[in-house]
């Protein structure tokens, strides 16, 4: 997934839960700091939405494992933008091609996918 990371990004943000292992591995390959983004800030402890690298005022890339509708990316992007993070892209491992790319585009977020549902179907057919 490292080639999907646009130049100039400062922080990789993995969405709980599936995006966290992906962002951790991607951070090791790119050298970029990582933040783990909760669905909502907990009312105790640090009370932060994003743990790890600071996201405020930085160019942040939201990382997810599987995208279906894109709903959580849209919600988390709004939260991060509320913290003054600049979010414009969201790479994922698999785009299930069920409307996520369009939902993200409506919020000025480009979905970047390593694999699509069509890729997986083609591979399954080729193995037969």
């Amino acid at each position: 997934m490292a080639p999907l990371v646009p130049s100039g990004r400062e922080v990789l943000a993995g969405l709980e839960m599936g995006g966290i292992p992906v962002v951790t591995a991607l951070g090791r390959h790119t050298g970029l700091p990582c933040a783990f983004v909760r669905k909502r800030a907990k009312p105790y402890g640090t009370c932060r939405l994003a743990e790890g690298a600071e996201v405020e005022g930085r160019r942040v890339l939201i990382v997810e494992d599987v995208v279906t509708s894109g709903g959580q990316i849209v919600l988390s992007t709004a939260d991060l933008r509320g913290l003054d993070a600049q979010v414009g892209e969201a790479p994922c491992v698999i785009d299930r091609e069920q409307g996520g790319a369009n939902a993200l585009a409506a919020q000025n977020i480009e979905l970047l996918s390593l694999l699509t549902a069509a890729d997986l179907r083609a591979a399954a057919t080729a193995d037969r």
Side-chain angles (χ1 to χ4, degrees), residues 13-91:
L15 303 185
E16 79 170 312
M17 285 295 291
I20 291 176
V22 178
V23 82
T24 302
L26 190 56
R28 298 260 308 147
H29 286 280
T30 63
L32 291 171
C34 299
F36 302 148
V37 182
R38 294 187 172 101
K39 291 180 181 169
R40 61 188 147 276
K42 295 193 184 277
Y44 55 87
T46 63
C47 301
R48 295 180 56 175
L49 174 73
E51 296 289 347
E54 292 295 324
V55 298
E56 293 84 2
R58 298 179 83 186
R59 291 181 305 267
V60 176
L61 191 66
I62 291 186
V63 179
E64 186 63 294
D65 59 346
V66 178
V67 173
T68 302
S69 69
Q72 190 56 52
I73 294 174
V74 168
L75 293 172
S76 293
T77 295
D79 291 340
L80 290 169
R81 286 175 175 167
L83 296 173
D84 197 32
Q86 301 162 31
V87 180
E89 304 88 10

Side-chain angles (χ1 to χ4, degrees), residues 102-118:
N102 290 336
L104 297 181
Q107 301 300 317
N108 297 314
I109 307 162
E110 180 183 6
L111 182 63
L112 309 168
S113 58
L114 181 62
L115 298 166
T116 64

